[in-house]
């Protein structure tokens, strides 16, 4: 068994939890939209969503917003929905977590 030195670092453990929750949220979101996990468009949507997420996370943290696992999950889903919407995928508004501040942060991101 390989010793996971990185896994000892609390910030690394937190980020692993964050990304785990983002992955779970993404799977649930795609299921609710009936989008196949094999959809060829997913690669570009995920790439755009990650870029949006990174910019939004930095902007929100820079504005003093508390950035934890819950916020990361919600920001990523909004970014993914935005990326899908730009590709003319219909996203029902009631499927997104309702955070006005997150929508505002995402609107400020350069696409």
């Amino acid at each position: 068994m390989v010793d996971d030195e990185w896994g000892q670092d609390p910030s690394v453990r937190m980020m692993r939890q964050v990304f785990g929750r983002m992955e779970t949220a993404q799977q649930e979101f795609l299921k609710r939209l009936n989008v196949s996990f094999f959809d060829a468009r997913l690669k570009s949507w995920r790439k755009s969503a990650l870029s949006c997420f990174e910019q939004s996370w930095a902007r929100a943290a820079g504005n003093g917003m508390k950035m934890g696992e819950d916020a990361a999950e919600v920001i990523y889903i909004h970014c993914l929905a935005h990326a899908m919407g730009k590709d003319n995928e219909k996203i029902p508004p009631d499927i997104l977590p309702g955070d006005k501040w997150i929508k505002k942060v995402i609107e400020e991101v350069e696409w």
Side-chain angles (χ1 to χ4, degrees), residues 74-88:
V74 173
I75 289 171
Y76 182 76
I77 293 303
H78 275 269
C79 288
L80 181 59
H82 190 78
M84 292 170 73
K86 287 180 68 174
D87 202 20
N88 296 319

Side-chain angles (χ1 to χ4, degrees), residues 40-80:
R41 301 171 296 173
L42 273 176
K43 184 177 181 177
S44 66
W45 291 341
R46 287 177 175 148
K47 183 177 179 180
S48 293
L50 181 59
S51 176
C52 171
F53 172 78
E54 290 169 344
Q55 292 178 59
S56 299
W57 180 278
R59 186 176 300 263
N63 289 337
M65 296 177 188
K66 185 177 180 203
M67 304 307 297
E69 294 174 29
D70 293 334
E73 183 179 321
V74 173
I75 289 171
Y76 182 76
I77 293 303
H78 275 269
C79 288
L80 181 59

Side-chain angles (χ1 to χ4, degrees), residues 29-42:
F29 181 69
L30 294 173
K31 278 183 191 176
R32 290 182 72 191
L33 292 172
N34 293 318
V35 173
S36 168
F37 297 120
F38 302 105
D39 191 312
R41 301 171 296 173
L42 273 176

